[in-house]
Amino acid sequence: MVYDKENFKNITIKDVAKRAEVSIATVSRILNGKDRVSPLLAERVLLAVKELQYQPNDVARALKIKESRSIGLIIPDIENPFFPALVRGVQDAAKIHNYAVILCNTDGKTEEEKKYIQFLYSKRVDGIAFTESVDNKKNIALLDSLGIPVVLLDRRVEGMKASGVSTDNRLGAFMATQHLIEKGKQRIGFISGSPKLSSGADRASGYQDALLHYSIQYDKKLVFIGAFTYESGYAAVENLLLSRHQFDAIFAANDIMAIGAIECLNRYGIRVPEDVAVVGFDDIRLATWYKPLLTTIRQPVYEMGQYAIKLLVEHITGERSCPYEKIFAPELMIRQSSGGLEESK
Amino acid sequence: MVYDKENFKNITIKDVAKRAEVSIATVSRILNGKDRVSPLLAERVLLAVKELQYQPNDVARALKIKESRSIGLIIPDIENPFFPALVRGVQDAAKIHNYAVILCNTDGKTEEEKKYIQFLYSKRVDGIAFTESVDNKKNIALLDSLGIPVVLLDRRVEGMKASGVSTDNRLGAFMATQHLIEKGKQRIGFISGSPKLSSGADRASGYQDALLHYSIQYDKKLVFIGAFTYESGYAAVENLLLSRHQFDAIFAANDIMAIGAIECLNRYGIRVPEDVAVVGFDDIRLATWYKPLLTTIRQPVYEMGQYAIKLLVEHITGERSCPYEKIFAPELMIRQSSGGLEESK
DNA sequence: GTGAAAGCGCTAACAC
DNA sequence: GTGTTAGCGCTTTCAC
């Protein structure tokens, strides 16, 4: 199988026109169903299309109408268990609107993000769905100067410079902490995500809100800054253990860190949930496969991906002109790692 | 932020030419570095490019040179834990060669695959990396007739109609079964994947090979056809249990089914690995997070994705004209679910 | 309602 | 070396 381009008779609109004995303008009109055309010609054209197996060249179309029917999706890493569902939501929604999704992994590097934005711009994507790694607004500004519609994924938008889709992280963290408190826990450790991200900062706020609300002293010795990774969750607990500060619960700002935390606790012979209760955040699939089943805050990730594209398309078509922020409600999923549904002891 | 296309002065090669006081041909030459140009003009052009922040329009370029610098990636479902690493490998390799990756999820439906192939063709992708859901050759033939280079992912290629990248599934299954046998197991249940897929069929063969090699009677009552899903793994074991046939081990054709199997065993109070040893296939990340840690056959999934793009690019550039089959070696990862490294009892 | 023709932004002969 | 120009395949005025 030699892929010699020349061997493949690229059927163009011209071929169809010739076969149907009409002008190329007529073919175009019929295929796009815009102007009115006589049914007679339409029939002839459609027949020719079928006979020749004609597939319009979207590249040429894109050049002409300045609309590529493709969008960029920039995320840190598809291997991070948080993203597959998000990506799937994006892709499913994009498919409905007939957009191609170009996937980009940045590993959370601002420089990579910038490169990809330029790359996507050269491809003249119609819009970009973007999970920024750092909330630095620089890349948003770049996008803005390029005139590319953006929707921020899993990020709250400071100053509403762009539309965004996220979960109410602050509320979610409040609920998680509250759950632990209602379980009778008083010394609740917190493993934060990166405070540079709105998701990280908001979850930290929610944790503090809950302590305040229940009149529990905030103790910064119980707080560690993680990086949303397994390793950072593990390390945080190890540090906590070595510091010899008492604690009876851990709230980790995402599930992977929670699992890292539990692994570390187990390693030191501490039982979850008997000795220490643990709550995570995100409700990734693993949360229900891991043992103990992980109590966590569910984000409707798939729906967030879908909604982001809905918004993005509205911006692309001009249906919506002002930035809009969609915030989904978090949901507490009570499972084993926090002691389940039983009463506090 | 109104995305009014008109507001954004689309800088074209013409603008650059005017500013640098040269012809557009010269600009093109300099940017593509093909023909020789005088350093003087080159400098002027490069300056103009920078000043105007010119970004070439790849759509126009694609139309002209008939090369879109994009490839399609068709998989069943990015939410299936097997795929993220594969996708990442594909994307990283594509990035090196400057190709955009268009992601397509088919849920394993042949009809969806066909639609996506046509969609990608209308976008004039330069090639497609494809994880077929059913080995029916029809879509491969379609691709062939369209003149689109393909590389099959995770699929062995019957009759070498296209290039493919896979793991030696038969050998892997042999190793898994052998491991169980060496652990002293004699009645080894097998949960197959879809036999319509080469990966499913080959793993079944490997299982039989091993039994034969160790002179263990093949007992079809111990064999179930699953669907590579958690549920099918669970159901298989439940059926086995209800059938009351004795068994002391389970080899599941992928990790998710193995986990489904273990969950079911636990549900019925059967301990893994004490009562029944379990081995999976793939070595997805979850295999090392699940409890018990899953003994499994590792496929170098990320590398497979990378290699597929290497092959695909070779086909696209014409460097390689004949189909080639790359087969990676499987690796046995011994962990808890099969009783670990200790001797058989 | 239909066709002729211009032109989207680029590359690559082809002249000079 | 450099500029002029045709044309990739399509949509869309503009005449008729």
Side-chain angles (χ1 to χ4, degrees):
Chain A
M1 176 150 55
V2 182
Y3 297 113
D4 185 355
K5 286 263 164 64
E6 313 312 316
N7 285 341
F8 292 91
K9 56 307 120 132
N10 231 303
I11 308 294
T12 75
I13 197 170
K14 234 174 171 170
D15 301 315
V16 177
K18 196 183 292 175
R19 179 150 195 140
E21 294 178 301
V22 295
S23 72
I24 59 170
T26 300
V27 176
S28 174
R29 283 186 188 111
I30 289 167
L31 260 28
N32 293 307
K34 293 200 166 174
D35 293 305
R36 307 196 47 71
V37 283
S38 79
L40 178 72
L41 292 193
E43 199 179 338
R44 256 160 52 197
V45 167
L46 262 12
L47 181 66
V49 164
K50 188 155 278 177
E51 287 177 340
L52 296 171
Q53 304 224 54
Y54 169 66
Q55 279 276 6
N57 183 328
D58 259 17
V59 176
R61 184 159 205 274
L63 177 61
K64 179 66 189 174
I65 69 176
K66 297 178 183 314
E67 191 186 304
S68 66
R69 286 260 146 199
S70 64
I71 60 171
L73 172 56
I74 303 179
I75 59 171
D77 181 15
I78 187 67
E79 291 196 69
N80 176 328
F82 177 76
F83 290 105
L86 192 76
V87 170
R88 188 67 209 259
V90 164
Q91 217 254 292
D92 286 354
K95 175 190 196 170
I96 290 170
H97 297 281
N98 243 283
Y99 282 89
V101 175
I102 298 176
L103 182 68
C104 310
N105 291 280
T106 65
D107 284 320
K109 297 180 186 139
T110 314
E111 199 46 47
E112 288 296 309
E113 290 174 357
K114 188 176 167 191
K115 270 191 212 157
Y116 269 124
I117 288 171
Q118 279 160 345
F119 176 75
L120 292 170
Y121 176 63
S122 75
K123 291 251 175 293
R124 295 300 188 273
V125 293
D126 299 328
I128 292 182
F130 186 13
T131 301
E132 260 188 313
S133 59
V134 182
D135 190 13
N136 70 357
K137 298 197 191 86
K138 241 176 142 179
N139 282 325
I140 306 285
L142 173 59
L143 252 2
D144 196 27
S145 79
L146 257 21
I148 307 177
V150 210
V151 171
L152 257 25
L153 274 165
D154 191 37
R155 298 285 176 266
R156 193 161 43 79
V157 196
E158 297 288 345
M160 294 289 266
K161 305 284 281 187
S163 281
V165 173
S166 58
T167 297
D168 190 334
N169 285 299
R170 190 164 181 163
L171 174 58
F174 183 94
M175 290 160 67
T177 312
Q178 175 176 251
H179 169 64
L180 257 8
I181 294 170
E182 287 176 347
K183 280 268 167 196
K185 308 299 177 184
Q186 289 284 323
R187 298 199 45 80
I188 302 169
F190 176 56
I191 309 176
S192 154
S194 168
K196 287 186 178 169
L197 299 177
S198 64
S199 54
D202 291 350
R203 290 174 200 178
S205 303
Y207 165 74
Q208 295 189 38
D209 289 351
L211 294 186
L212 197 64
H213 185 262
Y214 286 93
S215 310
I216 295 176
Q217 182 68 41
Y218 174 83
D219 181 353
K220 73 167 183 232
K221 299 202 187 80
L222 294 180
V223 175
F224 292 83
I225 294 181
F228 284 137
T229 61
Y230 175 92
E231 289 74 20
S232 65
Y234 192 101
V237 167
E238 197 154 44
N239 283 331
L240 189 52
L241 253 19
L242 295 176
S243 77
R244 305 210 145 274
H245 288 100
Q246 290 296 316
F247 64 100
D248 50 16
I250 294 278
F251 167 41
N254 77 356
D255 290 342
I256 306 187
M257 293 198 296
I259 288 172
I262 295 174
E263 290 289 315
C264 181
L265 290 168
N266 288 341
R267 179 68 156 246
Y268 283 86
I270 298 166
R271 293 166 308 165
V272 175
E274 294 82 353
D275 304 324
V276 170
V278 175
V279 176
F281 204 113
D282 284 349
D283 197 24
I284 59 178
R285 215 149 140 186
L286 180 52
T288 55
W289 280 340
Y290 186 73
K291 298 299 165 56
L293 303 186
L294 202 64
T295 293
T296 189
I297 300 295
R298 181 177 131 77
Q299 294 198 63
V301 183
Y302 179 87
E303 289 77 9
M304 286 164 65
Q306 278 188 311
Y307 202 95
I309 296 311
K310 172 185 147 67
L311 269 182
L312 189 55
V313 169
E314 287 173 4
H315 277 128
I316 290 169
T317 58
E319 244 172 285
R320 161 171 261 124
S321 55
C322 294
Y324 175 76
E325 189 160 12
K326 171 71 178 179
I327 299 177
F328 282 84
E331 188 185 350
L332 174 63
M333 309 299 289
I334 301 175
R335 304 203 183 94
Q336 298 169 344
S337 69
S338 65
L341 287 164
E342 351 135 356
E343 273 312 288
S344 65
K345 350 164 192 187
Chain B
M1 177 150 53
V2 182
Y3 298 112
D4 186 353
K5 285 265 164 63
E6 313 313 316
N7 285 341
F8 293 89
K9 55 311 121 128
N10 232 303
I11 309 294
T12 75
I13 196 170
K14 234 172 171 171
D15 301 315
V16 177
K18 197 184 291 174
R19 177 147 196 146
E21 295 179 302
V22 295
S23 72
I24 58 170
T26 300
V27 176
S28 175
R29 283 183 188 110
I30 289 166
L31 261 28
N32 294 306
K34 292 201 166 174
D35 294 305
R36 305 199 50 71
V37 283
S38 81
L40 178 72
L41 293 194
E43 200 180 337
R44 256 162 50 198
V45 167
L46 261 12
L47 181 68
V49 165
K50 189 156 277 175
E51 287 176 341
L52 296 172
Q53 303 225 56
Y54 170 66
Q55 280 275 7
N57 183 329
D58 259 17
V59 176
R61 185 161 204 275
L63 177 61
K64 178 65 189 173
I65 70 176
K66 298 180 183 312
E67 190 185 304
S68 66
R69 286 259 145 200
S70 65
I71 59 172
L73 172 56
I74 304 179
I75 60 172
D77 181 15
I78 187 66
E79 291 197 69
N80 176 328
F82 177 76
F83 290 105
L86 191 77
V87 170
R88 188 67 208 258
V90 164
Q91 217 253 292
D92 286 354
K95 176 190 198 172
I96 291 170
H97 296 282
N98 243 283
Y99 283 88
V101 176
I102 298 176
L103 182 68
C104 311
N105 291 281
T106 65
D107 285 319
K109 297 183 187 135
T110 313
E111 199 45 47
E112 289 296 309
E113 291 174 355
K114 187 177 169 190
K115 271 191 210 157
Y116 270 124
I117 289 171
Q118 279 161 345
F119 177 75
L120 292 171
Y121 176 64
S122 74
K123 291 251 175 294
R124 294 302 188 272
V125 294
D126 298 328
I128 293 181
F130 185 16
T131 301
E132 260 187 313
S133 59
V134 182
D135 189 14
N136 69 357
K137 298 199 190 86
K138 242 176 142 180
N139 283 325
I140 306 285
L142 173 60
L143 252 2
D144 195 28
S145 78
L146 257 21
I148 307 177
V150 210
V151 170
L152 257 25
L153 275 165
D154 191 38
R155 298 286 176 266
R156 190 160 46 77
V157 196
E158 297 288 346
M160 294 288 267
K161 305 286 281 186
S163 281
V165 173
S166 58
T167 298
D168 191 333
N169 286 298
R170 190 162 178 164
L171 174 59
F174 183 94
M175 290 160 66
T177 312
Q178 175 178 249
H179 169 65
L180 256 8
I181 294 170
E182 287 176 347
K183 280 268 167 196
K185 308 299 179 186
Q186 290 284 325
R187 299 200 44 83
I188 303 169
F190 177 55
I191 309 175
S192 154
S194 168
K196 287 186 179 170
L197 300 176
S198 65
S199 55
D202 290 351
R203 291 174 199 177
S205 302
Y207 165 74
Q208 295 191 36
D209 289 352
L211 294 186
L212 197 63
H213 185 263
Y214 287 92
S215 308
I216 295 176
Q217 182 68 41
Y218 174 83
D219 181 353
K220 74 170 185 231
K221 300 206 186 77
L222 294 179
V223 174
F224 291 83
I225 295 181
F228 285 136
T229 62
Y230 175 93
E231 289 73 20
S232 65
Y234 192 102
V237 167
E238 197 154 44
N239 283 330
L240 190 50
L241 253 18
L242 296 177
S243 76
R244 305 211 146 273
H245 288 100
Q246 291 297 315
F247 63 102
D248 50 16
I250 293 279
F251 167 41
N254 77 357
D255 290 343
I256 307 185
M257 291 197 298
I259 288 172
I262 295 174
E263 290 289 318
C264 181
L265 290 168
N266 288 341
R267 178 69 156 248
Y268 283 86
I270 298 167
R271 293 167 308 163
V272 175
E274 295 83 352
D275 304 325
V276 170
V278 176
V279 176
F281 205 113
D282 285 348
D283 197 22
I284 58 178
R285 215 150 142 183
L286 179 53
T288 56
W289 280 340
Y290 186 73
K291 297 298 165 53
L293 303 186
L294 202 64
T295 293
T296 188
I297 300 295
R298 182 176 130 78
Q299 294 198 65
V301 184
Y302 178 87
E303 289 77 9
M304 286 164 64
Q306 278 189 310
Y307 202 96
I309 296 311
K310 171 185 147 66
L311 269 182
L312 189 55
V313 169
E314 287 173 3
H315 276 129
I316 290 170
T317 60
E319 242 171 286
R320 161 171 260 124
S321 56
C322 294
Y324 176 77
E325 189 160 11
K326 172 72 177 179
I327 298 178
F328 283 85
E331 189 184 349
L332 175 63
M333 311 299 289
I334 300 176
R335 303 203 184 96
Q336 299 169 345
S337 69
S338 65
L341 287 163
E342 353 134 354
E343 274 310 291
S344 64
K345 351 167 187 178

